[in-house]
Amino acid sequence: MNLFWNASRNGGSFPALSGLLRLGMGSLALAAGFATAPALAQEEETLIEEVVVTGSRIVRSNLTSPTPLQVLSSDDIDLGAEVNIGEFLNQLPALGVPTFNRTNSNFDINNSGVVNIDLRNLGISRTLTLVNGRRFVAGVPGTSAVDLNAIPTAMIERVEIISGGAAAVYGSDAVSGVVNLILKEDFEGVDISTRFEQTDESDGDEYDLGVLIGSNFADGRGNSTVYFGYTEQKGVFSRDRKRTELDAVSPIALGVTDPASIDRGGAVFGQIFPFFSSFPPQGRFDVNGTGSSGDDYTFLPDGTLVDSFFTNGSEAAGRAPDGFNRMAFRTIAIPTERYLLATNTHYDFNDNLTMFLEGTYTSTETDAALEPFPLASDDLFQTNQTGGIPLQYEDSTGTLITNPLIPQVIADAALANGVDGVFFTRRLAEVGAREQLNERQTFRIATGFEGTIEQTGWNWDISYVYGQTTQSQIAPGRVDITSFGQALITENDPDNPGSLRCLDAEARANGCVPANVFGFNSISPEALDFISAAQSRNAKIEQTVWQANLTGDIIEMPAGPLQFAVGAEYREEKSDARNDALTVRGLNSSNQNPSIAGKFDVTEGYLELNAPIL
């Protein structure tokens, strides 16, 4: 019978007690202490074939591990032929769909291209990722989730995975389990590897070049293994796949049950048919405030102004569809480029004392993209009844005028309907695609000493770990909402007859140029310079860990030795993510996103006993 009692003190708060009762056969183990998360070291004693396995500090073989353990060797990893260890692990049945990976984070502005793992679909912050039994700095601000882009696949000797029962040893960030990546050591020679992969559709090229160098030194008492790597994974785009090249939907998905009610250019009931966005690049303009597409105006490619009847991609009345196909811009797999440097070095001072040093540096660049921003005029104007471009107002001389930016036909129709503005929806094609250009750099160093107390045979280790992840992001394809609104309220320019200028004098002083939203490619480069406002974000995550452990046999009992493990750890985590001022205020055509900073520290200890009784 195994009985575990745990307590923790986090940042000076009161201890919190929790208990877990587990039944087994053949042993009695008691774990007690001031910790929920002791990290694990990996050691081998080849004479008795015992190793420290993930899930316990006490030396024992895999067959007597207190928790279910799956071990994957470097041969298994090579067989998977993946350039990213995260993409390999995410194929395992025990792992669910992570919050972020290369194929599902295109819509996440801040974390596009990150690769996480999520055991049992319980959340990326509930899967603890270790390297050589020690913690690795997070890659997502505000979480403990590790970005697997930062760990070179070629340096991994094996992977140990616990998919249950890990929280009793590690705490709440291991509720779903633990993934422990063991690095190669004692490697001698030079290993140069190259790899090229391509999808069946002849795209998504992947390139991988790595150089692994290892050598013993000091008459075999030390070894240093170094890895240099470069990987590039090209993007896969929706427009290049038949099933994703168009915005499409099934009539059944829309709740249509009568085949006769479908008028989609001859589409068969139950068949997928185009269903384009109602935010077109030429604009759609409502002149009576109802928001109904039947009351709109729009433009043909030749500039002709016509009544709009939104067709979602099917042909009607001999006219081409006036919707917008978003899939022409979307990404299935995000382009990712990585530079990697890693080292694992150890030196034996004598048979009982070893120093070790692990170092990792990774630079990752990703480029996600979405279609140009869909703008509705009520994003800009919320003071008038329609949420549209103001129709009439006083100019600089105090004279009541009709906004000269609005085409006469649209203005007359709106005035006849008694509305105070012209509501519109428009795709900002001139601003360009919405991109998320992320550069992440991860640095980690782990060093310390380990050895054996000769008189007792007890094993010990002391370690220090420091990790840092930085993120620099630029996201073009956005606009300044305030500036855009100023650029749509215009008057005739008295200094340049036949030209328009922004009504607001202060805005003109700041470079305001009228932004013509009526028609294809109608916004001038000068207006774009004034209204464009790329998002930016800078984030920094830091982790510091001090750790000490001692384990061994106390006395010999009839059924085996009474074993123990004891240790302590201090950990400090910091996370700081700063957005640009417009993003913080929600004024650059995107969701409001505040800057966030926080930190915590944890002091913990543990005691584990294993008393065999049968």
Side-chain angles (χ1 to χ4, degrees):
M1 182 176 67
N2 298 341
L3 180 62
F4 289 82
W5 286 102
N6 301 303
S8 64
R9 181 175 65 81
N10 300 329
S13 61
F14 291 101
L17 297 177
S18 64
L20 172 64
L21 180 65
R22 300 192 305 177
L23 296 179
M25 295 183 61
S27 67
L28 173 64
L30 175 66
F34 306 97
T36 58
L40 302 184
Q42 300 292 329
E43 299 177 5
E44 294 187 1
E45 297 182 19
T46 55
L47 294 179
I48 57 176
E49 296 183 350
E50 290 179 331
V51 296
V52 176
V53 296
T54 302
S56 172
R57 287 281 183 183
I58 294 177
V59 174
R60 67 188 78 183
S61 69
N62 289 3
L63 296 178
T64 58
S65 169
T67 53
L69 182 68
Q70 179 180 11
V71 180
L72 302 170
S73 69
S74 57
D75 291 337
D76 298 323
I77 298 172
D78 290 340
L79 187 63
E82 300 289 351
V83 301
N84 188 300
I85 185 63
E87 295 179 1
F88 167 75
L89 294 175
N90 279 321
Q91 300 178 45
L92 300 176
L95 278 89
V97 179
T99 304
F100 305 113
N101 63 35
R102 203 169 72 93
T103 58
N104 74 354
S105 58
N106 193 47
F107 283 85
D108 189 282
I109 296 175
N110 297 326
N111 300 300
S112 60
V114 169
V115 178
N116 298 133
I117 48 179
D118 184 0
L119 278 166
R120 300 192 293 168
N121 266 334
L122 295 180
I124 55 177
S125 289
R126 292 292 179 258
T127 299
L128 180 61
T129 303
L130 307 175
V131 173
N132 280 353
R134 288 175 281 270
R135 291 178 180 267
F136 200 93
V137 62
V140 179
T143 76
S144 59
V146 174
D147 182 6
L148 274 298
N149 281 308
I151 302 174
T153 305
M155 277 290 289
I156 297 174
E157 179 65 29
R158 69 180 186 276
V159 181
E160 298 176 353
I161 301 173
I162 293 180
S163 57
V169 178
Y170 292 98
S172 60
D173 51 356
V175 166
S176 61
V178 179
V179 176
N180 190 9
L181 309 173
I182 310 301
L183 302 182
K184 293 178 178 178
E185 60 180 17
D186 295 326
F187 177 82
E188 290 188 87
V190 178
D191 185 357
I192 300 176
S193 61
T194 61
R195 181 180 299 161
F196 171 78
E197 295 182 17
Q198 192 178 71
T199 71
D200 292 340
E201 302 287 342
S202 299
D203 60 2
D205 298 357
E206 295 189 1
Y207 305 90
D208 182 17
L209 173 63
V211 179
L212 184 66
I213 303 173
S215 176
N216 291 331
F217 59 89
D219 296 326
R221 295 165 62 185
N223 179 274
S224 183
T225 302
V226 180
Y227 174 76
F228 306 89
Y230 170 79
T231 68
E232 182 178 9
Q233 297 170 287
K234 299 287 189 179
V236 178
F237 301 95
S238 299
R239 61 180 176 267
D240 296 327
R241 294 291 186 274
K242 187 67 177 178
R243 62 184 177 271
T244 60
E245 64 182 355
L246 296 177
D247 266 339
V249 71
S250 166
I252 297 175
L254 297 177
V256 177
T257 58
D258 179 12
S261 67
I262 303 174
D263 181 16
R264 299 291 175 184
V268 178
F269 181 66
Q271 186 181 60
I272 299 298
F273 62 86
F275 197 80
F276 291 168
S277 167
S278 60
F279 288 69
Q282 73 274 19
R284 180 171 286 108
F285 307 93
D286 180 13
V287 296
N288 65 7
T290 65
S292 171
S293 61
D295 302 314
D296 292 349
Y297 282 90
T298 191
F299 290 85
L300 298 181
D302 62 3
T304 304
L305 181 64
V306 295
D307 293 335
S308 170
F309 47 93
F310 177 49
T311 61
N312 284 329
S314 64
E315 295 186 1
R319 202 172 89 202
D322 55 6
F324 179 79
N325 180 29
R326 296 169 297 178
M327 305 307 283
F329 292 85
R330 293 187 174 178
T331 306
I332 295 175
I334 296 173
T336 303
E337 186 178 29
R338 295 188 300 162
Y339 295 89
L340 307 101
L341 172 63
T343 182
N344 190 14
T345 300
H346 66 85
Y347 176 73
D348 300 331
F349 291 96
N350 53 50
D351 292 340
N352 298 317
L353 179 61
T354 299
M355 183 189 74
F356 61 87
L357 173 66
E358 304 164 16
T360 304
Y361 171 79
T362 306
S363 176
T364 305
E365 296 184 7
T366 61
D367 183 2
L370 287 173
E371 66 276 1
F373 187 80
L375 181 72
S377 59
D378 55 2
D379 293 332
L380 310 177
F381 306 105
Q382 299 180 357
T383 57
N384 56 22
Q385 178 184 359
T386 61
I389 304 175
L391 188 59
Q392 289 187 317
Y393 43 79
E394 292 183 351
D395 66 7
S396 300
T397 66
T399 303
L400 182 66
I401 64 169
T402 298
N403 192 337
L405 186 65
I406 302 174
Q408 193 64 49
V409 173
I410 295 178
D412 290 344
L415 289 171
N417 289 324
V419 297
D420 59 358
V422 175
F423 178 84
F424 73 87
T425 60
R426 192 181 192 278
R427 188 73 51 176
L428 300 181
E430 297 93 335
V431 180
R434 287 172 288 169
E435 293 185 86
Q436 288 82 243
L437 307 174
N438 274 295
E439 180 178 355
R440 299 181 179 90
Q441 299 186 57
T442 301
F443 168 76
R444 177 183 181 265
I445 185 171
T447 187
F449 297 89
E450 58 187 10
T452 303
I453 300 175
E454 188 172 4
Q455 295 79 0
T456 62
W458 293 353
N459 298 318
W460 61 272
D461 66 86
I462 299 174
S463 64
Y464 166 77
V465 177
Y466 174 79
Q468 176 182 288
T469 298
T470 60
Q471 175 193 17
S472 178
Q473 179 193 82
I474 296 294
R478 279 75 174 176
V479 295
D480 182 335
I481 295 298
T482 302
S483 297
F484 208 143
Q486 293 170 339
L488 292 175
I489 304 177
T490 66
E491 65 178 357
N492 292 309
D493 187 351
D495 299 325
N496 296 286
S499 299
L500 304 181
R501 70 178 187 180
C502 300
L503 178 64
D504 190 302
E506 183 177 350
R508 293 198 303 270
N510 291 327
C512 182
V513 176
N516 181 10
V517 296
F518 297 89
F520 290 93
N521 299 314
S522 56
I523 303 178
S524 68
E526 294 77 15
L528 286 176
D529 289 341
F530 179 67
I531 66 175
S532 296
Q535 285 182 290
S536 65
R537 172 183 171 93
N538 290 283
K540 183 178 182 180
I541 308 168
E542 291 184 278
Q543 179 187 74
T544 302
V545 183
W546 292 92
Q547 188 181 92
N549 305 285
L550 178 66
T551 181
D553 299 345
I554 301 177
I555 58 173
E556 189 68 28
M557 300 176 66
L562 174 64
Q563 298 174 302
F564 82 99
V566 63
E569 178 180 287
Y570 172 78
R571 177 163 54 98
E572 184 180 47
E573 306 269 4
K574 299 179 181 179
S575 182
D576 190 344
R578 303 287 177 178
N579 296 304
D580 63 89
L582 290 178
T583 300
V584 171
R585 298 166 61 193
L587 295 178
N588 63 347
S589 62
S590 188
N591 294 330
Q592 184 176 6
N593 192 1
S595 297
I596 298 176
K599 65 179 181 179
F600 69 89
D601 64 280
V602 182
T603 302
E604 33 190 35
Y606 72 91
L607 170 65
E608 182 179 359
L609 294 175
N610 184 51
I613 58 177
L614 292 175

